[in-house]
Amino acid sequence: MNYEQPLVQPITLAGGLELKNRIWMAPMTRSRADNPANKPFEIHEKYYAQRASAGLIITEGSQVSTEGVGYINTPGIYSDAQVEGWKGVTKAVHDKGGKIFIQLWHVGRISHPDFHDGNLPLAPSAINPNEKSFTPEGFKETVTPKEMTRAEIKQTIEDFKNAGKNAMEAGFDGIEIHSSNGYLLHQFFNATSNVRRDEYGGSIENRAKILFEIIEALKEVMPEQKIGLRLNPSLNGAFGMTADQETIPTFEYIVRKLNDYDLAYLHLSEPFSDVSAITYLVSHIAKHFRPLYKGTLVINGGFDQEKGNKVIEQGDADAVAYAKLYISNPDLVERFEQNAELASPDKDTFYTPGEKGYTDYPALKESQVR
Ligand SMILES: Cc1cc2nc3c(=O)[nH]c(=O)nc-3n(C[C@H](O)[C@H](O)[C@H](O)COP(=O)(O)O)c2cc1C
């Protein structure tokens, strides 16, 4: 074709990591680590290797500690067994010429006592998100979490650092801090989930503090150019998050301050719901935040091929992360290159164990080329 698609152009991240294209695989929990150690194994190797033509794969959220878990069968990155498991995944992806970051995750108050021998999950403040938690016995109502002590906050920062060290040992090209989607770090940012009176609450700067302390801690175990992070500024009415007038100013503060670092990338999500009627929220995240950030910006949320090319062409993002399309189109890059038909994902197998709906989506057949 004559049209040079921006999506298929290469891009180099800070630190010189060269990516083949700007079509990234967004982080997606798939709940296949159904073993007592919550370690990835052969099916994870196969799944991620099938998607190695992505410019960058960002793995599913992977808990940084036993406290950080909030869903069944999600993999961790805190034990030796898990590091061994991930080594197989990074090798499989690298053998196929791909690049892969791991998403580091702590769910905070979205967890449930059933994951913690009856102990309460940790959060910035003792405020129930009134959500559902997916426990070994099925969905249960969330509880009022335990307000973290300063010592618990320090330990959590240490857990992220340790996970970063483990990620390097496992052969990842970098890490993505999961500071998005209503999980622990997002709970700190938001005034409706963080009513602390110490240096981690109150002002915008204080509510953002834990993120920057985690970045500083991670820098001790990896170059900052291997650190990316994810934000969902206009999230409202999902994952226990309620936005308010200070929400967008908080994210503007965070994004501007990220310019003090030479990070791999900033990963933003467009709103998960229509927020156009909420005057203090932003409907067009890439457009709003692009001018505030000088580094590589990847955007996600509801993009197809056309919208992806357009957002890059307009200069509002440098790359696009695709989630659901990557479940059912392991060769999404090749399909975009050939303007081929896309397969639809089956929701019923998003989180079920085994290969079905995971590694059995076929790559493009010649006959499907338009
Ligand atoms: C099955 C599934 C699992 C997901 N798990 C994660 C996750 O672990 N971490 C995360 O940051 N976002 C997660 N998300 C959100 C996606 O990364 C993405 O933001 C969302 O699906 C919108 O992008 P899309 O329109 O391209 O699907 C998940 C989404 C789906 C569908």
Side-chain angles (χ1 to χ4, degrees):
M1 60 194 272
N2 299 325
Y3 169 63
E4 285 275 330
Q5 296 187 66
L7 278 171
V8 303
Q9 305 306 315
I11 181 168
T12 304
L13 301 188
L17 187 69
E18 289 176 16
L19 307 182
K20 294 174 293 219
N21 58 63
R22 293 152 190 258
I23 302 160
W24 295 11
M25 179 175 166
M28 272 180 293
T29 293
R30 304 302 311 279
S31 304
R32 260 63 177 191
D34 55 340
N35 55 78
N38 290 142
K39 68 175 263 189
F41 56 105
E42 287 80 2
I43 64 169
H44 297 82
E45 294 172 18
K46 187 170 169 188
Y47 169 73
Y48 285 114
Q50 285 173 341
R51 290 156 179 78
S53 62
L56 182 66
I57 292 172
I58 305 160
T59 71
E60 60 213 275
S62 306
Q63 56 267 14
V64 298
S65 62
T66 53
E67 288 78 25
V69 72
Y71 296 84
I72 56 164
N73 302 332
T74 57
I77 178 71
Y78 55 84
S79 74
D80 291 344
Q82 292 159 354
V83 171
E84 284 314 304
W86 283 119
K87 275 182 188 167
V89 172
T90 59
K91 183 174 185 311
V93 170
H94 289 151
D95 283 351
K96 289 188 73 184
K99 301 277 190 267
I100 182 165
F101 275 40
I102 182 170
Q103 193 185 46
L104 305 185
W105 193 24
H106 190 309
V107 308
R109 65 181 188 167
I110 298 295
S111 191
H112 190 275
D114 285 5
F115 288 107
H116 310 289
D117 299 325
N119 293 315
L120 292 176
L122 299 176
S125 297
I127 302 171
N128 190 336
N130 295 315
E131 272 291 332
K132 301 267 187 241
S133 184
F134 191 36
T135 77
E137 291 167 17
F139 282 106
K140 290 194 180 177
E141 299 294 328
T142 51
V143 300
T144 301
K146 175 183 183 295
E147 176 181 312
M148 292 168 89
T149 61
R150 278 203 183 89
E152 284 163 341
I153 292 175
K154 299 288 174 225
Q155 183 57 52
T156 300
I157 294 166
E158 209 45 41
D159 292 338
F160 271 90
K161 177 178 166 182
N162 185 52
K165 191 161 152 270
N166 287 343
M168 292 298 97
E169 193 189 326
F172 283 102
D173 297 291
I175 63 96
E176 176 175 289
I177 303 168
H178 195 350
S179 36
S180 186
N181 297 354
Y183 296 114
L184 183 72
L185 303 183
H186 201 164
Q187 292 159 26
F188 270 90
F189 302 156
N190 204 314
T192 56
S193 45
N194 178 356
V195 295
R196 298 179 71 90
R197 289 163 176 268
D198 64 4
E199 69 271 28
Y200 292 100
S203 66
I204 284 175
E205 291 81 356
N206 283 1
R207 282 187 268 117
K209 188 176 164 69
I210 187 170
L211 172 67
F212 293 99
E213 291 190 347
I214 288 173
I215 294 174
E216 291 293 339
L218 284 166
K219 277 176 60 182
E220 291 173 28
V221 294
M222 67 177 69
E224 61 189 324
Q225 293 87 356
K226 290 182 186 286
I227 302 172
L229 68 106
R230 187 171 220 210
L231 301 171
N232 192 342
S234 282
L235 183 68
N236 185 52
F239 299 94
M241 279 291 118
T242 307
D244 65 12
Q245 272 88 351
E246 282 201 353
T247 300
I248 292 300
T250 303
F251 284 101
E252 288 169 347
Y253 166 79
I254 291 172
V255 169
R256 284 204 178 92
K257 193 169 162 64
L258 290 172
N259 289 319
D260 295 347
Y261 301 87
D262 188 26
L263 299 180
Y265 62 82
L266 168 63
H267 186 174
L268 298 176
S269 293
E270 293 291 345
F272 281 3
S273 59
D274 182 1
V275 297
S276 55
I278 308 174
T279 51
Y280 51 81
L281 286 181
V282 166
S283 289
H284 300 286
I285 292 293
K287 205 171 259 322
H288 184 85
F289 285 95
R290 170 74 282 184
L292 307 188
Y293 185 62
K294 70 176 192 310
T296 298
L297 194 156
V298 56
I299 190 69
N300 159 259
F303 285 86
D304 57 15
Q305 181 181 1
E306 193 188 334
K307 284 188 194 158
N309 278 314
K310 201 165 153 206
V311 74
I312 299 175
E313 217 159 54
Q314 289 176 338
D316 292 332
D318 300 300
V320 180
Y322 293 89
K324 289 183 284 297
L325 284 181
Y326 250 117
I327 291 180
S328 48
N329 299 280
D331 54 345
L332 190 64
V333 171
E334 290 76 5
R335 291 184 195 230
F336 281 179
E337 279 170 350
Q338 299 174 33
N339 296 311
E341 296 289 341
L342 300 179
S344 301
D346 172 14
K347 281 200 182 75
D348 293 344
T349 50
F350 277 6
Y351 306 109
T352 47
E355 305 246 358
K356 191 168 183 311
Y358 190 54
T359 52
D360 59 355
Y361 287 103
L364 189 66
K365 293 189 192 75
E366 278 308 309
S367 61
Q368 287 172 296
V369 179
R370 275 191 230 133

